[in-house]
Amino acid sequence: MKINNLGATDSLLSQYLAEIRDKSVQKDSLRFRRNLERMGGIFAHEISKTLTYKTVEVETPLGIASSRVVDSPLVIAAILRAGLPVHQGLLNAFDTAQNAFVAAYRKYGKGNECDLLIEYQSCPPLEGKTLVIADAMLASGASMLLTYESLMTCGEPVHTHIVCPVASAEGVENLSKNLPHKRVTLWVGAIDEELTNHSYIVPGLGDAGNLAFGEKN
């Protein structure tokens, strides 16, 4: 699996990352969502450089222009609910893409044992397409692996791009070990070293879903 850490070089993404981490700025949920959306747009621009293109002739009011346009059918998948703002940023750029949505949840059993289950999935056929999976954070990587496996039931994409603005080193390692190396690329804005026993990334940014949409019951 190829790993692209955009936070390793200075860009506007670093500014947005600093703001989504800042607990004082986080009080403004609209700004939090907007920053994730803007980061999604930056990731989209970088992903666009990896896609295939074709030449088309475009008629202008004064003549004909030869132009290069994307020739890769895309599906953008959001992991609900924290992935929605990142998904929107990607969709703003890839506005003709198809969309998919996946909801995963934790089911606790005896002894506080926990199983991850897919509660809902809506996805078009993926065969021959480029898949982009969006989430706000990559903690242990367990939810992302489950989501990937679930989406693969809809067909095998040409390539899969995973976008997570903040990731843990453990989560990155988990994906690297368990996903196809040549067919998956991970895009992150930061890789944090610490992951607690409760799968909280440190320093991380807190609960992205709650910060974006309010606390849930």
Side-chain angles (χ1 to χ4, degrees), residues 17-34:
L17 177 62
E19 292 189 9
I20 64 171
R21 287 190 191 268
D22 191 324
K23 65 179 184 180
S24 61
V25 180
Q26 287 178 350
K27 295 176 183 178
D28 184 346
S29 59
L30 174 60
R31 187 167 187 82
F32 184 82
R33 293 194 303 272
R34 183 68 178 114

PDB file of all heavy atoms in Angstrom, residues 17-34:
ATOM      1  N   LEU A  17      -5.552  21.623   9.022  1.00  0.00           N
ATOM      2  CA  LEU A  17      -5.298  20.585  10.014  1.00  0.00           C
ATOM      3  C   LEU A  17      -5.118  21.191  11.401  1.00  0.00           C
ATOM      4  O   LEU A  17      -5.650  20.679  12.390  1.00  0.00           O
ATOM      5  CB  LEU A  17      -4.055  19.784   9.617  1.00  0.00           C
ATOM      6  CG  LEU A  17      -3.602  18.693  10.586  1.00  0.00           C
ATOM      7  CD1 LEU A  17      -4.681  17.624  10.730  1.00  0.00           C
ATOM      8  CD2 LEU A  17      -2.289  18.076  10.131  1.00  0.00           C
ATOM      9  N   ALA A  18      -4.369  22.285  11.483  1.00  0.00           N
ATOM     10  CA  ALA A  18      -4.166  22.948  12.768  1.00  0.00           C
ATOM     11  C   ALA A  18      -5.491  23.406  13.359  1.00  0.00           C
ATOM     12  O   ALA A  18      -5.720  23.307  14.575  1.00  0.00           O
ATOM     13  CB  ALA A  18      -3.215  24.140  12.598  1.00  0.00           C
ATOM     14  N   GLU A  19      -6.395  23.882  12.507  1.00  0.00           N
ATOM     15  CA  GLU A  19      -7.679  24.385  12.990  1.00  0.00           C
ATOM     16  C   GLU A  19      -8.608  23.267  13.451  1.00  0.00           C
ATOM     17  O   GLU A  19      -9.321  23.423  14.450  1.00  0.00           O
ATOM     18  CB  GLU A  19      -8.347  25.239  11.913  1.00  0.00           C
ATOM     19  CG  GLU A  19      -7.604  26.544  11.659  1.00  0.00           C
ATOM     20  CD  GLU A  19      -8.382  27.487  10.761  1.00  0.00           C
ATOM     21  OE1 GLU A  19      -9.578  27.219  10.464  1.00  0.00           O
ATOM     22  OE2 GLU A  19      -7.812  28.515  10.338  1.00  0.00           O
ATOM     23  N   ILE A  20      -8.627  22.123  12.752  1.00  0.00           N
ATOM     24  CA  ILE A  20      -9.519  21.050  13.199  1.00  0.00           C
ATOM     25  C   ILE A  20      -9.002  20.410  14.487  1.00  0.00           C
ATOM     26  O   ILE A  20      -9.772  19.805  15.237  1.00  0.00           O
ATOM     27  CB  ILE A  20      -9.743  19.962  12.120  1.00  0.00           C
ATOM     28  CG1 ILE A  20      -8.458  19.224  11.781  1.00  0.00           C
ATOM     29  CG2 ILE A  20     -10.409  20.558  10.889  1.00  0.00           C
ATOM     30  CD1 ILE A  20      -8.677  18.008  10.880  1.00  0.00           C
ATOM     31  N   ARG A  21      -7.706  20.576  14.781  1.00  0.00           N
ATOM     32  CA  ARG A  21      -7.155  20.059  16.029  1.00  0.00           C
ATOM     33  C   ARG A  21      -7.405  21.022  17.202  1.00  0.00           C
ATOM     34  O   ARG A  21      -7.479  20.586  18.350  1.00  0.00           O
ATOM     35  CB  ARG A  21      -5.647  19.846  15.895  1.00  0.00           C
ATOM     36  CG  ARG A  21      -5.198  18.656  15.055  1.00  0.00           C
ATOM     37  CD  ARG A  21      -3.702  18.498  15.254  1.00  0.00           C
ATOM     38  NE  ARG A  21      -2.998  17.594  14.392  1.00  0.00           N
ATOM     39  CZ  ARG A  21      -2.772  16.314  14.650  1.00  0.00           C
ATOM     40  NH1 ARG A  21      -3.299  15.752  15.723  1.00  0.00           N
ATOM     41  NH2 ARG A  21      -2.044  15.575  13.828  1.00  0.00           N
ATOM     42  N   ASP A  22      -7.484  22.294  16.925  1.00  0.00           N
ATOM     43  CA  ASP A  22      -7.544  23.336  17.953  1.00  0.00           C
ATOM     44  C   ASP A  22      -8.874  23.300  18.700  1.00  0.00           C
ATOM     45  O   ASP A  22      -9.931  23.540  18.108  1.00  0.00           O
ATOM     46  CB  ASP A  22      -7.349  24.701  17.292  1.00  0.00           C
ATOM     47  CG  ASP A  22      -7.130  25.820  18.290  1.00  0.00           C
ATOM     48  OD1 ASP A  22      -7.746  25.791  19.371  1.00  0.00           O
ATOM     49  OD2 ASP A  22      -6.348  26.734  17.975  1.00  0.00           O
ATOM     50  N   LYS A  23      -8.830  23.015  20.001  1.00  0.00           N
ATOM     51  CA  LYS A  23     -10.069  22.852  20.766  1.00  0.00           C
ATOM     52  C   LYS A  23     -10.881  24.139  20.857  1.00  0.00           C
ATOM     53  O   LYS A  23     -12.107  24.081  21.047  1.00  0.00           O
ATOM     54  CB  LYS A  23      -9.782  22.308  22.160  1.00  0.00           C
ATOM     55  CG  LYS A  23      -8.987  23.226  23.070  1.00  0.00           C
ATOM     56  CD  LYS A  23      -8.785  22.567  24.428  1.00  0.00           C
ATOM     57  CE  LYS A  23      -8.079  23.497  25.411  1.00  0.00           C
ATOM     58  NZ  LYS A  23      -7.882  22.847  26.732  1.00  0.00           N
ATOM     59  N   SER A  24     -10.252  25.287  20.701  1.00  0.00           N
ATOM     60  CA  SER A  24     -11.009  26.542  20.720  1.00  0.00           C
ATOM     61  C   SER A  24     -11.738  26.760  19.399  1.00  0.00           C
ATOM     62  O   SER A  24     -12.889  27.201  19.370  1.00  0.00           O
ATOM     63  CB  SER A  24     -10.084  27.727  21.021  1.00  0.00           C
ATOM     64  OG  SER A  24      -9.086  27.856  20.025  1.00  0.00           O
ATOM     65  N   VAL A  25     -11.080  26.406  18.285  1.00  0.00           N
ATOM     66  CA  VAL A  25     -11.716  26.530  16.971  1.00  0.00           C
ATOM     67  C   VAL A  25     -12.805  25.466  16.814  1.00  0.00           C
ATOM     68  O   VAL A  25     -13.817  25.685  16.146  1.00  0.00           O
ATOM     69  CB  VAL A  25     -10.665  26.403  15.845  1.00  0.00           C
ATOM     70  CG1 VAL A  25     -11.322  26.539  14.475  1.00  0.00           C
ATOM     71  CG2 VAL A  25      -9.579  27.453  16.011  1.00  0.00           C
ATOM     72  N   GLN A  26     -12.628  24.316  17.461  1.00  0.00           N
ATOM     73  CA  GLN A  26     -13.590  23.218  17.355  1.00  0.00           C
ATOM     74  C   GLN A  26     -14.975  23.584  17.886  1.00  0.00           C
ATOM     75  O   GLN A  26     -15.954  22.906  17.570  1.00  0.00           O
ATOM     76  CB  GLN A  26     -13.077  21.998  18.120  1.00  0.00           C
ATOM     77  CG  GLN A  26     -11.931  21.274  17.450  1.00  0.00           C
ATOM     78  CD  GLN A  26     -11.430  20.113  18.274  1.00  0.00           C
ATOM     79  OE1 GLN A  26     -11.814  19.949  19.441  1.00  0.00           O
ATOM     80  NE2 GLN A  26     -10.571  19.285  17.701  1.00  0.00           N
ATOM     81  N   LYS A  27     -15.058  24.648  18.676  1.00  0.00           N
ATOM     82  CA  LYS A  27     -16.358  25.064  19.207  1.00  0.00           C
ATOM     83  C   LYS A  27     -17.311  25.509  18.095  1.00  0.00           C
ATOM     84  O   LYS A  27     -18.524  25.507  18.280  1.00  0.00           O
ATOM     85  CB  LYS A  27     -16.168  26.201  20.217  1.00  0.00           C
ATOM     86  CG  LYS A  27     -15.397  25.801  21.455  1.00  0.00           C
ATOM     87  CD  LYS A  27     -15.145  26.991  22.373  1.00  0.00           C
ATOM     88  CE  LYS A  27     -14.320  26.597  23.581  1.00  0.00           C
ATOM     89  NZ  LYS A  27     -14.020  27.757  24.457  1.00  0.00           N
ATOM     90  N   ASP A  28     -16.752  25.864  16.955  1.00  0.00           N
ATOM     91  CA  ASP A  28     -17.544  26.261  15.786  1.00  0.00           C
ATOM     92  C   ASP A  28     -17.682  25.038  14.874  1.00  0.00           C
ATOM     93  O   ASP A  28     -16.795  24.740  14.078  1.00  0.00           O
ATOM     94  CB  ASP A  28     -16.845  27.403  15.058  1.00  0.00           C
ATOM     95  CG  ASP A  28     -17.654  27.953  13.888  1.00  0.00           C
ATOM     96  OD1 ASP A  28     -18.631  27.295  13.474  1.00  0.00           O
ATOM     97  OD2 ASP A  28     -17.292  29.025  13.380  1.00  0.00           O
ATOM     98  N   SER A  29     -18.789  24.315  15.000  1.00  0.00           N
ATOM     99  CA  SER A  29     -18.961  23.073  14.237  1.00  0.00           C
ATOM    100  C   SER A  29     -19.018  23.333  12.734  1.00  0.00           C
ATOM    101  O   SER A  29     -18.593  22.485  11.935  1.00  0.00           O
ATOM    102  CB  SER A  29     -20.225  22.332  14.688  1.00  0.00           C
ATOM    103  OG  SER A  29     -21.375  23.128  14.510  1.00  0.00           O
ATOM    104  N   LEU A  30     -19.535  24.501  12.342  1.00  0.00           N
ATOM    105  CA  LEU A  30     -19.580  24.839  10.918  1.00  0.00           C
ATOM    106  C   LEU A  30     -18.169  24.964  10.358  1.00  0.00           C
ATOM    107  O   LEU A  30     -17.874  24.435   9.275  1.00  0.00           O
ATOM    108  CB  LEU A  30     -20.352  26.135  10.706  1.00  0.00           C
ATOM    109  CG  LEU A  30     -20.371  26.687   9.267  1.00  0.00           C
ATOM    110  CD1 LEU A  30     -21.000  25.688   8.309  1.00  0.00           C
ATOM    111  CD2 LEU A  30     -21.109  28.018   9.215  1.00  0.00           C
ATOM    112  N   ARG A  31     -17.294  25.626  11.089  1.00  0.00           N
ATOM    113  CA  ARG A  31     -15.914  25.768  10.624  1.00  0.00           C
ATOM    114  C   ARG A  31     -15.200  24.420  10.625  1.00  0.00           C
ATOM    115  O   ARG A  31     -14.395  24.131   9.728  1.00  0.00           O
ATOM    116  CB  ARG A  31     -15.153  26.775  11.489  1.00  0.00           C
ATOM    117  CG  ARG A  31     -13.763  27.084  10.928  1.00  0.00           C
ATOM    118  CD  ARG A  31     -13.141  28.303  11.581  1.00  0.00           C
ATOM    119  NE  ARG A  31     -11.896  28.675  10.909  1.00  0.00           N
ATOM    120  CZ  ARG A  31     -11.824  29.385   9.794  1.00  0.00           C
ATOM    121  NH1 ARG A  31     -12.938  29.814   9.211  1.00  0.00           N
ATOM    122  NH2 ARG A  31     -10.661  29.696   9.253  1.00  0.00           N
ATOM    123  N   PHE A  32     -15.484  23.591  11.627  1.00  0.00           N
ATOM    124  CA  PHE A  32     -14.883  22.259  11.674  1.00  0.00           C
ATOM    125  C   PHE A  32     -15.259  21.463  10.428  1.00  0.00           C
ATOM    126  O   PHE A  32     -14.394  20.880   9.770  1.00  0.00           O
ATOM    127  CB  PHE A  32     -15.343  21.525  12.937  1.00  0.00           C
ATOM    128  CG  PHE A  32     -14.703  20.179  13.118  1.00  0.00           C
ATOM    129  CD1 PHE A  32     -13.439  20.057  13.682  1.00  0.00           C
ATOM    130  CD2 PHE A  32     -15.353  19.020  12.724  1.00  0.00           C
ATOM    131  CE1 PHE A  32     -12.829  18.813  13.848  1.00  0.00           C
ATOM    132  CE2 PHE A  32     -14.763  17.768  12.883  1.00  0.00           C
ATOM    133  CZ  PHE A  32     -13.500  17.675  13.454  1.00  0.00           C
ATOM    134  N   ARG A  33     -16.551  21.445  10.093  1.00  0.00           N
ATOM    135  CA  ARG A  33     -16.993  20.724   8.892  1.00  0.00           C
ATOM    136  C   ARG A  33     -16.375  21.317   7.632  1.00  0.00           C
ATOM    137  O   ARG A  33     -15.947  20.603   6.730  1.00  0.00           O
ATOM    138  CB  ARG A  33     -18.521  20.750   8.784  1.00  0.00           C
ATOM    139  CG  ARG A  33     -19.257  19.973   9.847  1.00  0.00           C
ATOM    140  CD  ARG A  33     -20.720  19.781   9.474  1.00  0.00           C
ATOM    141  NE  ARG A  33     -21.409  21.044   9.226  1.00  0.00           N
ATOM    142  CZ  ARG A  33     -22.014  21.769  10.172  1.00  0.00           C
ATOM    143  NH1 ARG A  33     -21.982  21.358  11.432  1.00  0.00           N
ATOM    144  NH2 ARG A  33     -22.632  22.882   9.872  1.00  0.00           N
ATOM    145  N   ARG A  34     -16.340  22.648   7.571  1.00  0.00           N
ATOM    146  CA  ARG A  34     -15.823  23.319   6.380  1.00  0.00           C
ATOM    147  C   ARG A  34     -14.346  23.021   6.181  1.00  0.00           C
ATOM    148  O   ARG A  34     -13.887  22.825   5.049  1.00  0.00           O
ATOM    149  CB  ARG A  34     -16.050  24.828   6.506  1.00  0.00           C
ATOM    150  CG  ARG A  34     -15.600  25.617   5.280  1.00  0.00           C
ATOM    151  CD  ARG A  34     -16.467  25.324   4.065  1.00  0.00           C
ATOM    152  NE  ARG A  34     -16.033  26.121   2.924  1.00  0.00           N
ATOM    153  CZ  ARG A  34     -15.500  25.641   1.813  1.00  0.00           C
ATOM    154  NH1 ARG A  34     -15.365  24.327   1.670  1.00  0.00           N
ATOM    155  NH2 ARG A  34     -15.122  26.420   0.834  1.00  0.00           N
TER     156      ARG A  34
END
